[in-house]
């Protein structure tokens, strides 16, 4: 945004500093001047104004900031108009879309001569101003509307009155209506578009761009001047839908001043009347009380001087921030202040009245907020304004008081254990987006119907708070594979969301994914593809860090509909701890793999850490290594095909023989010479005592107990 200092000094002729100092002081107050260009008669400021400060996106708004900084009086904008020639019937204006149009003003001018702009506004040189600000001079009507938003930030529009049929109606478009805009493009309107129309046809996209059919031409003699207020979201959606970004939409999208319409209308009208003509009828001013209540007529905010001191702390100046400083800053910014309870009584704010009456030194204000500062809502906002205008460099350099040490979150140690385990298992930590699409949320949510949609999403692909980490994990895996990274092992520790827009619940989770080959283990071992059991082993390692009574894996028939839709129904498993489901993992469903153009076998899973964190961490216990010789015994077992290793493993655990320190499967043998439906399993067991060498009779007893235990689990010794 460009600002002319000559224009600023026209508002504030008593500015006590040069342009360089003015730029520095404005920048320190958050109205950043990024470049200063000497133009001979003053300077041109290249400014970067944040989106919440639309009030400062014009010359009068910047002048208001300068007046507050230097304690100057800023004259109110007042544009004199000639007396009415006659009192005509008010021009008909109706607001049908009352939820998105808060005010609409219309003034009828007749006998207007459309031509070149003259110099107006206290001798301002229009050609010079527009040239420096890179604005084209078109005609006095168009130049007047441009001058209005450059001067005071209020977009306006001029219609050819003779081409308006009936009156003005502010409404939403009817789907399929057509409008040719001022850029010459014929647009098909959507039912959500906010438009200004007459009784027959659309006249323009409200707050964005006017229409071709009612534009001002050299033949125009009668003009309708419009100055309105439109709801920011409605303008933004219309502008984005039609791919338009105009000076008007830029300001309306950020929240214009609902009270600026009549002043801007007077400014534009005075410029047009400089070439002749007259006003017909009074200004038509239609308002919506509900929108005025949340913009121009907001409830006062209580501000306590003691709270200003508490929040802002000490200043370099020994005098500090006094009551006079607060009053001077807020008054200069356009706030109204009352130091007694009368304003609160009038507004019916009992809690504010009580607050004011309790303070004996009357250092409590009830602050009415200016209509052009919609970003001011709470007491802390007012305190920030005091600090900003006072100058952040005026505060003493002190550290904030802090009486407690840093405390870790209750689950920090558990989270660190999960992270260390997965890193040790060969996975790399990654971070994905917090958002996902509605389709991905419906696919991966642990419970249906609990996804939380965003009110103003950046795109359809990021329109929902993620209910699962799986969508982000799949996106990261696909991104690697599509860039020729064939071996991928990733995990993400993050937060997932569920509930509704009124109440959002957050839960901790971890997702992991793997595809490709495992690295070679020495010269004798070739690399092999990652399979289901590799991922199962990583899950077991994570769960082994927590104390639990029972840990098991199971699966369900595909027709049961229990397995998540993103997993292969026959190559996946549920993880259960102490009877509760804590996660799922397995091969990605072929349908989802095809949708993401993944030809490789992708293994993916998710663990619900909020449930796992309820369990205590398993504490590592260091045992002294036995100095006595271990004894290994092998058991060749015959099992039915229906018997898996899990019951054998549990049976040996239940023996609780201290000297039985290890058992594992060494070989699985299947042969037609075995019985029908049977297979052979070679199990190795290791016996070792911590305080003695085991005797043969002890070993015989241990072996007998092992044989008995596995027999009860469905195995028998091979003869």
């Amino acid at each position: 945004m460009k600002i002319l200092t000559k224009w600023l000094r026209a508002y504030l002729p008593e500015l006590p500093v040069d342009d360089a100092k003015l730029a520095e002081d404005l920048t320190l107050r958050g109205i950043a001047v990024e470049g200063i260009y000497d133009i001979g008669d003053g300077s041109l400021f290249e400014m970067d104004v944040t989106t919440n400060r639309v009030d400062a996106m014009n010359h009068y708004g910047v002048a208001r900031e300068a007046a507050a900084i230097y304690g100057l009086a800023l004259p109110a904008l007042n544009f004199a108009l000639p007396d009415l020639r006659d009192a005509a019937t008010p021009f008909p204006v109706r607001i049908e879309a009352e939820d998105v149009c808060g005010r609409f003003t219309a003034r009828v001018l007749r006998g207007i001569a459309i031509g070149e702009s003259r110099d107006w506004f206290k001798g301002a040189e229009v050609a010079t101003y527009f040239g420096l600000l890179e604005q084209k001079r078109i005609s006095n009507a168009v130049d007047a509307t441009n001058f209005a938003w450059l001067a005071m930030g209020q977009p306006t529009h001029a219609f050819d009155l003779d081409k308006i049929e009936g009156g003005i109606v502010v409404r939403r478009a009817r789907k399929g209506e057509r409008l040719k805009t001022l850029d010459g493009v014929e647009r098909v309107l959507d039912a959500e578009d906010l438009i200004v129309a007459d009784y027959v046809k659309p006249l323009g996209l409200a707050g964005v761009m006017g229409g071709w059919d009612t534009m001002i031409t050299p033949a125009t003699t009668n003009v309708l001047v419009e100055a309105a207020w439109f709801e920011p979201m409605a303008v933004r959606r219309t502008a984005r839908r039609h791919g338009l970004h105009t000076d008007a939409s830029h300001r309306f999208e950020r929240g214009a001043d609902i009270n600026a319409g009549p002043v801007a209308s007077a400014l534009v009208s005075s410029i047009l009347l400089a070439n002749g003509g007259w006003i017909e009828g009074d200004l038509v001013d239609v308002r919506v009380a509900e929108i005025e209540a949340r913009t121009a007529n907001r409830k006062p905010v209580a501000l306590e001087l003691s709270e200003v001191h508490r929040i802002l702390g000490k200043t370099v100046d020994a005098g500090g921030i006094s009551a006079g400083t607060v009053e001077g800053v807020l008054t200069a910014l356009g706030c109204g202040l009352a130091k007694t309870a009368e304003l609160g009584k009038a507004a019916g704010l009992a809690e504010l009245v009580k607050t004011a009456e309790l303070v004996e030194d009357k250092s409590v204000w009830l602050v009415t907020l200016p209509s052009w500062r919609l970003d001011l809502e709470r007491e802390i906002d007012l305190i920030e304004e005091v600090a900003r205008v006072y100058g952040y460099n005026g505060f003493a350099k002190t550290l904030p008081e802090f009486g407690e040490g840093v405390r870790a979150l209750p689950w920090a140690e558990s989270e660190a254990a999960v992270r260390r385990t997965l890193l040790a298992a060969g996975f790399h930590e990654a971070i994905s987006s917090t958002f996902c699409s509605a389709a991905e949320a419906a696919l991966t949510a642990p419970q249906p119907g609990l996804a939380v949609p965003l009110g103003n999403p950046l795109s359809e692909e990021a329109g929902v708070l993620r209910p699962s980490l799986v969508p982000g994990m799949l996106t990261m895996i696909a991104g690697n594979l599509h860039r020729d990274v064939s071996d991928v092992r990733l995990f993400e520790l993050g937060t997932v969301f569920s509930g509704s827009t009124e109440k959002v619940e957050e839960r901790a989770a971890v997702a992991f994914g793997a595809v490709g080959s495992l690295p070679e283990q020495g010269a004798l071992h070739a690399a092999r593809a990652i399979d289901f059991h590799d991922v199962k082993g990583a899950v077991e390692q994570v769960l082994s860090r927590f104390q639990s009574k029972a840990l098991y894996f199971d699966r369900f028939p595909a027709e049961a509909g229990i397995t998540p839709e993103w997993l292969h129904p026959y190559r996946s498993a549920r993880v259960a701890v102490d009877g509760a489901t804590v996660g799922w993992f397995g091969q990605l469903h072929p349908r989802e793999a095809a949708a993401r153009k993944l030809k490789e076998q992708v293994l993916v899973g998710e663990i619900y850490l909020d449930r796992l964190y309820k369990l205590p961490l398993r504490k590592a216990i260091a045992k002294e290594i036995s100095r006595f010789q271990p004894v290994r015994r092998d058991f060749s077992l015959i099992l039915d095909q229906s018997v898996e290793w899990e019951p054998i493993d549990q049976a040996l655990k239940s023996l609780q023989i201290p000297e039985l320190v290890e058992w594992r499967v060494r070989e699985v043998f299947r042969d037609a010479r075995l019985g029908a439906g049977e297979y052979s399993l070679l199990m190795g067991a290791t016996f070792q005592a911590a305080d003695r060498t085991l005797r043969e009779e002890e070993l015989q007893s241990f072996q007998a107990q092992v044989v008995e235990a596995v027999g009860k689990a469905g195995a028998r010794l091979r003869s």
Side-chain angles (χ1 to χ4, degrees):
M1 186 185 73
K2 294 179 172 61
I3 292 292
L4 293 171
T5 59
K6 183 178 180 180
W7 199 338
L8 295 180
R9 293 181 187 277
Y11 292 126
L12 295 172
E14 299 180 359
L15 267 176
V17 297
D18 59 20
D19 291 348
K21 178 62 175 173
L22 174 62
E24 179 184 352
D25 290 341
L26 286 172
T27 302
L28 287 174
R29 270 74 179 184
I31 310 297
V33 179
E34 295 190 331
I36 307 175
Y37 305 95
D38 186 2
I39 56 174
D41 187 11
S43 303
L44 176 68
F45 286 172
E46 188 74 41
M47 308 195 70
D48 181 18
V49 181
T50 54
T51 56
N52 66 313
R53 292 301 309 275
V54 65
D55 64 291
M57 294 179 182
N58 57 83
H59 285 78
Y60 190 77
V62 177
R64 184 189 294 115
E65 289 291 316
I69 294 170
Y70 303 116
L72 302 176
L74 179 66
L77 292 175
N78 187 18
F79 304 100
L81 294 174
D83 296 333
L84 297 177
R85 178 172 293 189
D86 52 26
T89 302
F91 187 83
V93 173
R94 184 172 74 251
I95 299 177
E96 291 184 357
E98 293 189 346
D99 57 326
V100 288
C101 179
R103 190 171 190 175
F104 194 98
T105 68
R107 178 177 275 118
V108 174
L109 306 179
R110 293 194 179 273
I112 300 299
I114 302 300
E116 186 177 347
S117 296
R118 298 180 180 180
D119 291 340
W120 6 263
F121 190 56
K122 297 182 180 180
E125 300 174 357
V126 180
T128 303
Y129 279 12
F130 275 31
L132 292 170
L133 296 174
E134 299 179 358
Q135 290 290 322
K136 293 181 180 179
R137 295 182 65 190
I138 300 174
S139 69
N140 55 343
V142 179
D143 294 350
T145 58
N146 288 337
F147 190 85
W149 69 258
L150 288 169
M152 55 179 297
Q154 173 63 36
T156 57
H157 189 71
F159 296 94
D160 188 326
L161 180 63
D162 296 329
K163 296 178 181 178
I164 298 177
E165 301 180 64
I168 291 292
V169 181
V170 183
R171 60 175 173 83
R172 285 187 169 85
R174 300 180 184 93
K175 189 173 182 63
E177 278 189 302
R178 294 180 177 272
L179 170 67
K180 187 177 181 180
T181 48
L182 287 173
D183 57 0
V185 177
E186 186 175 44
R187 304 180 185 276
V188 179
L189 303 182
D190 187 87
E192 291 299 315
D193 289 334
L194 180 63
I195 62 170
V196 177
D198 60 19
Y199 291 173
V200 177
K201 61 186 180 299
L203 303 180
L205 295 173
V208 182
M209 184 178 286
W212 183 274
D213 294 339
T214 54
M215 70 176 175
I216 302 297
T217 66
T220 300
T221 57
N222 300 316
V223 175
L224 181 73
V225 178
E226 168 224 313
W229 185 95
F230 303 111
E231 198 272 330
M233 187 63 70
V235 175
R236 184 180 300 119
R237 286 174 176 167
T238 299
R240 183 177 296 179
R241 191 177 294 114
H242 293 281
L244 291 171
H245 183 80
T246 62
D247 293 320
S249 68
H250 186 81
R251 281 150 183 82
F252 278 126
E253 288 177 18
R254 286 154 179 79
D257 179 5
I258 197 171
N259 285 338
V263 181
S265 177
L267 170 57
V268 173
S269 299
S270 66
I271 293 172
L272 292 176
L273 292 170
N275 282 13
W278 69 92
I279 302 173
E280 181 182 85
D282 292 324
L283 175 72
V284 178
D285 188 357
V286 182
R287 309 181 189 186
V288 177
E290 182 180 347
I291 292 182
E292 277 194 312
R294 57 183 173 86
T295 54
N297 300 329
R298 291 171 288 171
K299 289 184 178 182
V301 175
L303 174 64
E304 297 185 37
L305 182 62
S306 59
E307 191 69 2
V308 174
H309 292 159
R310 187 186 73 83
I311 296 293
L312 300 184
K314 297 179 180 179
T315 60
V316 175
D317 182 5
I321 298 178
S322 64
T325 304
V326 174
E327 291 180 354
V329 168
L330 296 182
T331 302
L333 294 177
C335 297
L337 285 84
K339 291 188 67 174
T340 61
E342 278 73 16
L343 182 59
K345 292 176 180 177
L349 304 176
E351 68 278 6
L352 300 185
V353 174
K354 183 178 180 181
T355 302
E357 291 176 343
L358 288 175
V359 181
E360 297 180 0
D361 62 1
K362 301 298 182 184
S363 57
V364 172
W365 297 272
L366 295 177
V367 183
T368 53
L369 306 173
S371 58
W372 56 84
R373 289 297 302 274
L374 299 182
D375 58 316
L376 301 182
E377 298 177 343
R378 305 167 296 164
E379 181 183 37
I380 192 64
D381 298 330
L382 299 175
I383 295 174
E384 182 181 6
E385 289 299 292
V386 172
R388 185 178 63 82
V389 177
Y390 181 82
Y392 294 121
N393 55 343
F395 293 94
K397 297 178 181 178
T398 57
L399 293 173
E401 296 182 0
F402 185 67
E404 298 184 11
V406 177
R407 290 182 295 178
L409 293 171
W411 58 85
E413 188 177 355
S414 298
E415 182 181 276
V418 173
R419 177 179 285 108
R420 287 195 303 267
T421 303
L422 288 171
L423 289 172
F427 288 78
H428 300 278
E429 186 169 7
I431 300 176
S432 66
S433 173
T434 310
F435 312 119
C436 67
S437 67
E440 289 176 326
L443 174 71
T444 60
Q447 295 180 344
L450 293 181
V452 183
L454 298 178
N456 183 27
L458 297 174
S459 65
E460 291 185 3
E461 290 73 22
V464 178
L465 285 173
R466 62 185 183 191
S468 167
L469 297 177
V470 171
M473 179 56 58
L474 295 178
T475 299
M476 292 187 291
I477 289 176
N480 278 274
L481 292 176
H482 294 159
R483 289 165 177 80
D484 296 329
V485 180
S486 58
D487 297 332
V488 183
R489 280 180 288 171
L490 300 175
F491 76 94
E492 179 181 7
L493 283 162
T495 303
V496 295
F497 307 87
S498 62
S500 63
T501 53
E502 289 76 21
K503 184 179 180 181
V504 180
E505 296 182 359
E506 300 183 19
R507 297 181 293 103
V510 60
F512 46 89
V515 62
S517 302
L518 289 172
E520 297 182 6
Q521 303 292 331
L524 299 179
H525 296 80
R528 62 174 181 80
I530 297 175
D531 60 21
F532 175 90
H533 297 92
D534 295 314
V535 176
K536 178 175 179 286
V539 173
E540 288 180 317
Q541 290 181 49
V542 170
L543 300 180
S544 68
R545 299 295 181 264
F546 298 86
Q547 296 183 32
S548 61
K549 297 178 181 177
L551 162 65
Y552 59 90
F553 302 87
D554 57 12
R555 57 188 177 188
F556 301 92
E559 58 273 13
I562 298 176
T563 304
E565 295 183 11
W566 46 274
L567 284 175
H568 194 300
Y570 302 107
R571 300 176 185 175
S572 57
R574 180 184 70 143
V575 187
V577 174
D578 294 344
T581 301
V582 297
W584 293 85
F585 70 95
Q587 183 181 330
L588 181 65
H589 197 290
R591 177 189 63 249
E592 299 305 318
R596 291 168 170 79
K597 299 180 180 179
L598 302 176
K599 299 179 181 179
E600 299 82 354
Q601 177 179 296
V602 177
L603 296 156
V604 65
E606 184 173 29
I607 298 176
Y608 312 139
L609 293 180
D610 59 317
R611 301 178 183 179
L612 204 58
Y613 288 166
K614 295 177 182 179
L615 302 174
L617 281 173
R618 191 182 303 278
K619 296 182 179 180
I621 300 176
K623 294 184 178 180
E624 184 179 354
I625 299 176
S626 176
R627 296 174 295 169
F628 299 94
Q629 183 72 20
V631 179
R632 295 181 176 85
R633 292 287 189 267
D634 290 338
F635 298 84
S636 184
L637 306 176
I638 300 295
L639 301 92
D640 187 81
Q641 292 285 4
S642 62
V643 180
E644 299 180 345
W645 169 250
E646 182 70 18
I648 305 296
D649 183 61
Q650 294 298 327
L652 295 175
K653 282 182 181 179
S654 64
L655 288 176
Q656 296 184 348
I657 301 175
E659 291 79 7
L660 179 58
V661 296
E662 183 188 47
W663 58 92
R664 65 173 61 184
V665 177
R666 298 192 180 280
E667 183 180 319
V668 176
F669 178 70
R670 303 179 188 275
D671 191 90
R673 290 171 290 179
L674 297 173
E678 292 182 332
Y679 70 99
S680 176
L681 182 148
L682 179 64
M683 181 189 75
T686 302
F687 301 93
Q688 185 179 30
D691 56 352
R692 68 189 187 282
T693 299
L694 293 175
R695 300 189 305 275
E696 183 61 29
E697 55 269 23
E698 290 181 291
L699 291 171
Q700 292 293 337
S701 174
F702 297 153
Q703 290 179 208
Q705 295 180 58
V706 168
V707 171
E708 182 181 1
V710 299
K712 293 179 179 179
R716 69 179 189 276
L717 282 179
R718 184 177 181 181
S719 58

